Amino acid sequence: MLINKITLKLLAILTLIIFLNGSSEAARIKDLSGIKGVRSNQLIGFGLVIGLTKTGDSAVNVFFSIQAIASMLKKLGVTIPSGRIGQLQFKNVATVIVTADLPSFAKHGDTLDVTVSSLGDAKSLQGGTLLMTPLKGPDNNTYAVAQGPISIGGFSVQGAARGVQKNHLTVGRISNGALVE
């Protein structure tokens, strides 16, 4: 009888140790369920990436890159004579499309990860910084604004006879790069 009580107590203590020592995770209700009709929304924007090392859009092939730069400079108070716009050449700027997913129930000030993809003939976005880009929904309303340094997941090395490239140099991400409006 004494052995049964000791065994029972040891078993109870062992059970407590196992339950208390094991890792337990709390599950959020929103991870386990969904609300009908509630979903994330895709956002898109047109922007400029600056700070590239002669790997940006060429003025010859990408005329809208120069137009976008001239428009941005005008908004910042810099006037360019209309006859001189065609003479501008920037090899350190690229035009890009910026995309993001706006989760349901996102609040003002929340941050979003954004993807930045070259629109013109830029060779690489490495080292670039996205300038302030409004991100719009299908209804043409601005839901977030993106800006920041771009991180690309690839590289390119060129030698005299051969070169190596890993992943894409013209697509990058900005973690927490957009603020919900």
Side-chain angles (χ1 to χ4, degrees), residues 39 101-112 143 180-181:
R39 62 178 176 78
D101 284 327
L102 180 67
S104 53
F105 306 114
K107 297 181 294 291
H108 173 76
D110 286 353
T111 58
L112 307 173
Y143 290 95
V180 175
E181 289 292 306

Side-chain angles (χ1 to χ4, degrees), residues 143-156:
Y143 290 95
V145 177
Q147 180 171 285
I150 299 170
S151 175
I152 63 170
F155 65 88
S156 177

Side-chain angles (χ1 to χ4, degrees), residues 3-4 23-24 31 40 46 52 69 93 118 125 149 158 161 168:
I3 294 178
N4 283 343
S23 65
S24 64
D31 293 335
S40 63
F46 174 81
L52 304 174
I69 294 167
V93 179
S118 175
L125 297 178
Q158 298 293 327
H168 300 287

Side-chain angles (χ1 to χ4, degrees), residues 56-74:
D57 293 339
S58 65
V60 175
N61 295 330
V62 189
F63 67 91
F64 56 85
S65 179
I66 297 299
Q67 289 177 340
I69 294 167
S71 176
M72 180 208 51
L73 290 174
K74 185 177 180 181

